[in-house]
Amino acid sequence: TPFQEESISDLLKKHTRLKLQMSNDIYSTYHLYPPPQLSEIKTTVVYPATEKHLQKYLRQEVYLIRETGEDYKNITLPFIQSQSFSIQWVYNILEKTAEADRIIHENPDSSNGFVLIPDFKWNQKQLDDLYLIAICHRRGIKSLRDLTAEHLPLLRNILQEGKEAILKRFGVAGSQLRIYLHYQPSYFHLHVHFTALSYDAPGCSVERAHLLSDVIDNLELDPQYYQKRTLTFALRADEALLKKFQEAGKA
Ligand code: G7M
C-alpha cells in the first residue's frame, strides 16, 4: 500500500535496517528492510478458486486481439454465453447481502440506478490509490459492447452522481478522477471504475480502459457505435477465448 506522509520519517530511522548496495558521490542505493507496521501488503484471498481465477493471476504472455462487431457476434458472445464465471458477488452488493455497510452512494432506480462502492483493491486508508466501482442495478448489460443510446441516462447518472458522491465523501474533485469501463471486463455485468488520476491503477492501460465521458460522446454521435466498432484488447496465452480467435484465423 502507498506510504502515509506521517510515516516516511519512521521509515528512515526507527527499527529500519539498511544494507548499502553501492555509493557514488552524493548518490547511494540501499536494501531497506522496513519495520512490520510499515511493510503491510494488501492481500486478497480467493477461496475456493476456480480454474479461471488461477489463470487470471498466473503470469503469461499476452496477445492483442482486434475484435470486429462480427467477431463479437460470432466468436466472443457465444463464448461468454458458454462460460459460467459467477457474478454472485455483484448480486450480493446490489441486494445488500454483502458489503452493505461500505456503500458510498446509491441511486435505487431499477433501470437507470447504480451502487457506488469501494473496489476491494482499495483499503480506503489513503486517497493516493482511491478506487471505487459503480455497479448498475439493471441486469443483462454484459459490457461496453451492449451499450446503445438507450443506456445514456444510466451512464450520465453514473458519471454525474458518482463524481458528486466522491467529492462529498472523499473531497476528490471529478477533474482528479479517471472514470472508465474495461473492455473486456472480468465480470460481465456492467460496471464503471473510478480511480485517482494520479494512480496508475491495474487495468487502466489504453488496450483496456474506455473513458466514460468518451463512451457517452460516442453514443451521442452514433447510437450503435459499440456494436459496429472494432475493439482492441489483450488475451493471455492460455485463455480459451484466444484459442477461439486462433481457430477462426483471427489471431
Ligand atoms: O472491469 P473488471 O470486470 O475487470 O473489474 C471488476 C472490478 O471489481 C475489479 O476492479 C475488482 O477489483 C473488483 N471486485 C472484484 N470482486 C470479486 C469484488 C468484490 O467482491 N467486492 C468489491 N468491492 N470489488 C470487487
Side-chain angles (χ1 to χ4, degrees):
T1 52
F3 291 113
Q4 319 266 341
E5 211 172 319
E6 315 81 76
S7 60
I8 294 294
S9 58
D10 283 1
L11 195 61
L12 296 178
K13 46 179 201 245
K14 270 195 231 154
H15 319 298
T16 294
R17 196 156 66 83
L18 280 172
K19 207 167 103 196
L20 183 68
Q21 227 184 341
M22 69 113 215
S23 173
N24 181 349
D25 188 38
I26 60 171
Y27 308 98
S28 42
T29 64
Y30 291 87
H31 294 288
L32 183 152
Y33 303 89
Q37 67 276 18
L38 294 179
S39 48
E40 169 188 334
I41 295 175
K42 186 172 179 306
T43 311
T44 301
V45 176
V46 182
Y47 177 81
T50 64
E51 203 44 50
K52 181 131 189 235
H53 288 105
L54 294 176
Q55 261 184 28
K56 181 172 155 80
Y57 293 102
L58 282 175
R59 180 191 287 278
Q60 282 182 45
E61 296 251 44
V62 285
Y63 299 91
L64 270 193
I65 294 290
R66 298 265 299 149
E67 178 199 72
T68 63
E70 285 302 302
D71 292 339
Y72 176 72
K73 277 191 235 142
N74 299 332
I75 305 171
T76 310
L77 181 60
F79 175 78
I80 298 169
Q81 285 165 339
S82 73
Q83 295 291 299
S84 55
F85 197 48
S86 169
I87 46 172
Q88 189 56 45
W89 68 273
V90 169
Y91 298 143
N92 290 347
I93 289 174
L94 296 176
E95 287 160 11
K96 322 283 171 0
T97 56
E99 305 189 52
D101 52 337
R102 288 161 38 88
I103 292 176
I104 302 298
H105 173 76
E106 176 170 19
N107 174 332
D109 190 272
S110 59
S111 51
N112 297 323
F114 66 98
V115 168
L116 180 71
I117 195 160
D119 192 283
F120 73 179
K121 286 200 281 278
W122 185 37
N123 66 10
Q124 296 185 70
K125 282 199 195 148
Q126 60 285 311
L127 297 175
D128 311 61
D129 57 343
L130 174 140
Y131 201 146
L132 296 102
I133 42 173
I135 304 175
C136 74
H137 271 300
R138 186 164 155 183
R139 300 199 180 183
I141 313 173
K142 290 182 287 306
S143 74
L144 189 63
R145 270 286 185 213
D146 284 344
L147 293 177
T148 65
E150 182 209 342
H151 304 106
L152 281 168
L154 165 67
L155 299 174
R156 291 191 190 114
N157 284 348
I158 293 178
L159 184 62
Q160 190 56 32
E161 294 175 32
K163 283 197 279 195
E164 280 165 14
I166 290 175
L167 178 63
K168 200 162 152 212
R169 175 68 72 94
F170 302 108
V172 177
S175 56
Q176 294 183 299
L177 294 173
R178 185 184 293 110
I179 307 171
Y180 56 97
L181 291 88
H182 276 164
Y183 194 77
Q184 290 194 345
S186 308
Y187 303 96
F188 287 86
H189 174 110
L190 195 82
H191 55 276
V192 175
H193 301 248
F194 289 71
T195 62
L197 188 60
S198 54
Y199 170 52
D200 284 331
C204 76
S205 48
V206 289
E207 73 277 21
R208 193 162 192 209
H210 296 255
L211 287 178
L212 178 58
S213 50
D214 289 353
V215 171
I216 291 174
D217 274 0
N218 291 334
L219 291 174
E220 282 169 350
L221 285 170
D222 180 352
Q224 251 65 57
Y225 184 88
Y226 288 103
Q227 283 77 60
K228 295 178 189 163
R229 227 199 90 165
T230 295
L231 291 168
T232 303
F233 53 86
L235 288 176
R236 290 180 298 276
D238 70 0
E239 275 188 87
L241 183 57
L242 180 65
K243 206 178 244 140
K244 301 269 176 213
F245 271 86
Q246 285 165 338
E247 282 165 8
K250 306 276 181 160

mmCIF file of all heavy atoms in Angstrom, residues 90-111:
data_model
loop_
_atom_site.group_PDB
_atom_site.id
_atom_site.type_symbol
_atom_site.label_atom_id
_atom_site.label_comp_id
_atom_site.label_asym_id
_atom_site.label_seq_id
_atom_site.Cartn_x
_atom_site.Cartn_y
_atom_site.Cartn_z
ATOM 1 N N VAL A 90 -21.511 -9.595 -7.310
ATOM 2 C CA VAL A 90 -22.162 -8.376 -7.808
ATOM 3 C C VAL A 90 -23.607 -8.330 -7.290
ATOM 4 O O VAL A 90 -24.057 -7.307 -6.751
ATOM 5 C CB VAL A 90 -22.146 -8.351 -9.353
ATOM 6 C CG1 VAL A 90 -23.041 -7.254 -9.901
ATOM 7 C CG2 VAL A 90 -20.722 -8.204 -9.870
ATOM 8 N N TYR A 91 -24.317 -9.459 -7.425
ATOM 9 C CA TYR A 91 -25.703 -9.509 -6.942
ATOM 10 C C TYR A 91 -25.741 -9.301 -5.426
ATOM 11 O O TYR A 91 -26.667 -8.666 -4.907
ATOM 12 C CB TYR A 91 -26.360 -10.843 -7.331
ATOM 13 C CG TYR A 91 -26.434 -11.049 -8.834
ATOM 14 C CD1 TYR A 91 -26.259 -12.291 -9.398
ATOM 15 C CD2 TYR A 91 -26.676 -9.967 -9.691
ATOM 16 C CE1 TYR A 91 -26.327 -12.488 -10.779
ATOM 17 C CE2 TYR A 91 -26.736 -10.145 -11.070
ATOM 18 C CZ TYR A 91 -26.556 -11.397 -11.608
ATOM 19 O OH TYR A 91 -26.608 -11.578 -12.973
ATOM 20 N N ASN A 92 -24.755 -9.832 -4.703
ATOM 21 C CA ASN A 92 -24.723 -9.644 -3.244
ATOM 22 C C ASN A 92 -24.638 -8.160 -2.893
ATOM 23 O O ASN A 92 -25.273 -7.699 -1.943
ATOM 24 C CB ASN A 92 -23.525 -10.374 -2.633
ATOM 25 C CG ASN A 92 -23.684 -11.883 -2.691
ATOM 26 O OD1 ASN A 92 -24.771 -12.392 -2.966
ATOM 27 N ND2 ASN A 92 -22.602 -12.602 -2.446
ATOM 28 N N ILE A 93 -23.853 -7.402 -3.679
ATOM 29 C CA ILE A 93 -23.734 -5.962 -3.424
ATOM 30 C C ILE A 93 -25.074 -5.288 -3.736
ATOM 31 O O ILE A 93 -25.597 -4.515 -2.930
ATOM 32 C CB ILE A 93 -22.586 -5.341 -4.253
ATOM 33 C CG1 ILE A 93 -21.234 -5.812 -3.704
ATOM 34 C CG2 ILE A 93 -22.666 -3.800 -4.236
ATOM 35 C CD1 ILE A 93 -20.004 -5.388 -4.515
ATOM 36 N N LEU A 94 -25.673 -5.613 -4.884
ATOM 37 C CA LEU A 94 -26.929 -4.959 -5.288
ATOM 38 C C LEU A 94 -28.069 -5.305 -4.329
ATOM 39 O O LEU A 94 -28.950 -4.494 -4.067
ATOM 40 C CB LEU A 94 -27.293 -5.357 -6.722
ATOM 41 C CG LEU A 94 -26.292 -4.906 -7.800
ATOM 42 C CD1 LEU A 94 -26.704 -5.442 -9.176
ATOM 43 C CD2 LEU A 94 -26.187 -3.371 -7.854
ATOM 44 N N GLU A 95 -28.015 -6.532 -3.786
ATOM 45 C CA GLU A 95 -29.103 -6.971 -2.885
ATOM 46 C C GLU A 95 -28.772 -6.726 -1.421
ATOM 47 O O GLU A 95 -29.509 -7.138 -0.536
ATOM 48 C CB GLU A 95 -29.394 -8.459 -3.126
ATOM 49 C CG GLU A 95 -30.130 -8.692 -4.441
ATOM 50 C CD GLU A 95 -29.999 -10.126 -4.951
ATOM 51 O OE1 GLU A 95 -29.519 -11.000 -4.198
ATOM 52 O OE2 GLU A 95 -30.357 -10.347 -6.132
ATOM 53 N N LYS A 96 -27.643 -6.113 -1.152
ATOM 54 C CA LYS A 96 -27.197 -5.741 0.205
ATOM 55 C C LYS A 96 -26.945 -6.958 1.112
ATOM 56 O O LYS A 96 -27.086 -6.870 2.317
ATOM 57 C CB LYS A 96 -28.203 -4.798 0.905
ATOM 58 C CG LYS A 96 -28.866 -3.743 0.028
ATOM 59 C CD LYS A 96 -27.915 -2.616 -0.233
ATOM 60 C CE LYS A 96 -28.361 -1.609 -1.246
ATOM 61 N NZ LYS A 96 -29.574 -1.648 -1.955
ATOM 62 N N THR A 97 -26.574 -8.087 0.516
ATOM 63 C CA THR A 97 -26.246 -9.231 1.367
ATOM 64 C C THR A 97 -24.738 -9.324 1.605
ATOM 65 O O THR A 97 -24.269 -10.189 2.325
ATOM 66 C CB THR A 97 -26.770 -10.562 0.773
ATOM 67 O OG1 THR A 97 -26.237 -10.705 -0.541
ATOM 68 C CG2 THR A 97 -28.284 -10.577 0.700
ATOM 69 N N ALA A 98 -23.963 -8.431 0.956
ATOM 70 C CA ALA A 98 -22.528 -8.318 1.262
ATOM 71 C C ALA A 98 -22.115 -6.868 1.059
ATOM 72 O O ALA A 98 -22.680 -6.180 0.196
ATOM 73 C CB ALA A 98 -21.704 -9.231 0.357
ATOM 74 N N GLU A 99 -21.163 -6.437 1.862
ATOM 75 C CA GLU A 99 -20.559 -5.098 1.729
ATOM 76 C C GLU A 99 -21.560 -3.948 1.881
ATOM 77 O O GLU A 99 -21.244 -2.814 1.500
ATOM 78 C CB GLU A 99 -19.826 -4.957 0.377
ATOM 79 C CG GLU A 99 -18.773 -6.029 0.119
ATOM 80 C CD GLU A 99 -17.919 -5.739 -1.113
ATOM 81 O OE1 GLU A 99 -17.369 -4.634 -1.225
ATOM 82 O OE2 GLU A 99 -17.802 -6.645 -1.966
ATOM 83 N N ALA A 100 -22.746 -4.223 2.452
ATOM 84 C CA ALA A 100 -23.800 -3.188 2.508
ATOM 85 C C ALA A 100 -23.317 -1.947 3.268
ATOM 86 O O ALA A 100 -23.659 -0.815 2.905
ATOM 87 C CB ALA A 100 -25.055 -3.760 3.152
ATOM 88 N N ASP A 101 -22.506 -2.177 4.305
ATOM 89 C CA ASP A 101 -22.042 -1.044 5.123
ATOM 90 C C ASP A 101 -20.964 -0.227 4.411
ATOM 91 O O ASP A 101 -20.528 0.804 4.912
ATOM 92 C CB ASP A 101 -21.493 -1.565 6.464
ATOM 93 C CG ASP A 101 -20.449 -2.658 6.257
ATOM 94 O OD1 ASP A 101 -20.444 -3.317 5.181
ATOM 95 O OD2 ASP A 101 -19.610 -2.847 7.152
ATOM 96 N N ARG A 102 -20.510 -0.678 3.238
ATOM 97 C CA ARG A 102 -19.446 0.040 2.526
ATOM 98 C C ARG A 102 -19.996 0.924 1.406
ATOM 99 O O ARG A 102 -19.241 1.666 0.776
ATOM 100 C CB ARG A 102 -18.451 -0.974 1.914
ATOM 101 C CG ARG A 102 -17.579 -1.651 2.958
ATOM 102 C CD ARG A 102 -16.931 -2.943 2.482
ATOM 103 N NE ARG A 102 -16.472 -2.998 1.124
ATOM 104 C CZ ARG A 102 -15.249 -2.614 0.702
ATOM 105 N NH1 ARG A 102 -14.370 -2.163 1.585
ATOM 106 N NH2 ARG A 102 -14.913 -2.715 -0.561
ATOM 107 N N ILE A 103 -21.316 0.868 1.175
ATOM 108 C CA ILE A 103 -21.885 1.623 0.043
ATOM 109 C C ILE A 103 -21.691 3.125 0.257
ATOM 110 O O ILE A 103 -21.975 3.660 1.321
ATOM 111 C CB ILE A 103 -23.383 1.277 -0.133
ATOM 112 C CG1 ILE A 103 -23.514 -0.180 -0.595
ATOM 113 C CG2 ILE A 103 -24.048 2.215 -1.145
ATOM 114 C CD1 ILE A 103 -24.945 -0.683 -0.728
ATOM 115 N N ILE A 104 -21.185 3.788 -0.780
ATOM 116 C CA ILE A 104 -20.919 5.231 -0.706
ATOM 117 C C ILE A 104 -22.108 6.013 -1.245
ATOM 118 O O ILE A 104 -22.450 7.076 -0.752
ATOM 119 C CB ILE A 104 -19.644 5.581 -1.541
ATOM 120 C CG1 ILE A 104 -18.430 4.802 -1.034
ATOM 121 C CG2 ILE A 104 -19.373 7.090 -1.558
ATOM 122 C CD1 ILE A 104 -18.013 5.092 0.400
ATOM 123 N N HIS A 105 -22.752 5.464 -2.267
ATOM 124 C CA HIS A 105 -23.900 6.160 -2.859
ATOM 125 C C HIS A 105 -24.750 5.138 -3.596
ATOM 126 O O HIS A 105 -24.234 4.177 -4.154
ATOM 127 C CB HIS A 105 -23.407 7.221 -3.851
ATOM 128 C CG HIS A 105 -24.513 7.864 -4.634
ATOM 129 N ND1 HIS A 105 -25.360 8.812 -4.098
ATOM 130 C CD2 HIS A 105 -24.937 7.668 -5.913
ATOM 131 C CE1 HIS A 105 -26.236 9.189 -5.017
ATOM 132 N NE2 HIS A 105 -26.010 8.511 -6.133
ATOM 133 N N GLU A 106 -26.076 5.388 -3.585
ATOM 134 C CA GLU A 106 -26.950 4.521 -4.373
ATOM 135 C C GLU A 106 -28.031 5.351 -5.049
ATOM 136 O O GLU A 106 -28.614 6.251 -4.445
ATOM 137 C CB GLU A 106 -27.606 3.457 -3.489
ATOM 138 C CG GLU A 106 -28.599 2.621 -4.303
ATOM 139 C CD GLU A 106 -29.137 1.390 -3.581
ATOM 140 O OE1 GLU A 106 -29.050 1.345 -2.340
ATOM 141 O OE2 GLU A 106 -29.651 0.500 -4.284
ATOM 142 N N ASN A 107 -28.262 5.048 -6.315
ATOM 143 C CA ASN A 107 -29.457 5.529 -6.998
ATOM 144 C C ASN A 107 -30.279 4.259 -7.215
ATOM 145 O O ASN A 107 -29.869 3.382 -7.966
ATOM 146 C CB ASN A 107 -29.063 6.186 -8.336
ATOM 147 C CG ASN A 107 -30.279 6.585 -9.155
ATOM 148 O OD1 ASN A 107 -31.340 5.977 -9.052
ATOM 149 N ND2 ASN A 107 -30.119 7.613 -9.976
ATOM 150 N N PRO A 108 -31.412 4.126 -6.504
ATOM 151 C CA PRO A 108 -32.116 2.834 -6.487
ATOM 152 C C PRO A 108 -32.940 2.519 -7.732
ATOM 153 O O PRO A 108 -33.518 1.427 -7.814
ATOM 154 C CB PRO A 108 -33.029 2.961 -5.252
ATOM 155 C CG PRO A 108 -33.227 4.424 -5.060
ATOM 156 C CD PRO A 108 -32.043 5.141 -5.648
ATOM 157 N N ASP A 109 -32.991 3.426 -8.702
ATOM 158 C CA ASP A 109 -33.812 3.191 -9.893
ATOM 159 C C ASP A 109 -33.404 1.874 -10.586
ATOM 160 O O ASP A 109 -32.216 1.640 -10.817
ATOM 161 C CB ASP A 109 -33.640 4.370 -10.859
ATOM 162 C CG ASP A 109 -34.632 4.316 -11.999
ATOM 163 O OD1 ASP A 109 -34.327 3.665 -13.030
ATOM 164 O OD2 ASP A 109 -35.714 4.899 -11.850
ATOM 165 N N SER A 110 -34.413 1.044 -10.914
ATOM 166 C CA SER A 110 -34.058 -0.290 -11.423
ATOM 167 C C SER A 110 -33.491 -0.262 -12.845
ATOM 168 O O SER A 110 -32.768 -1.173 -13.236
ATOM 169 C CB SER A 110 -35.252 -1.237 -11.344
ATOM 170 O OG SER A 110 -36.299 -0.684 -12.103
ATOM 171 N N SER A 111 -33.787 0.787 -13.644
ATOM 172 C CA SER A 111 -33.141 0.793 -14.967
ATOM 173 C C SER A 111 -32.007 1.796 -15.098
ATOM 174 O O SER A 111 -31.064 1.550 -15.843
ATOM 175 C CB SER A 111 -34.161 0.956 -16.099
ATOM 176 O OG SER A 111 -34.989 2.034 -15.844
#
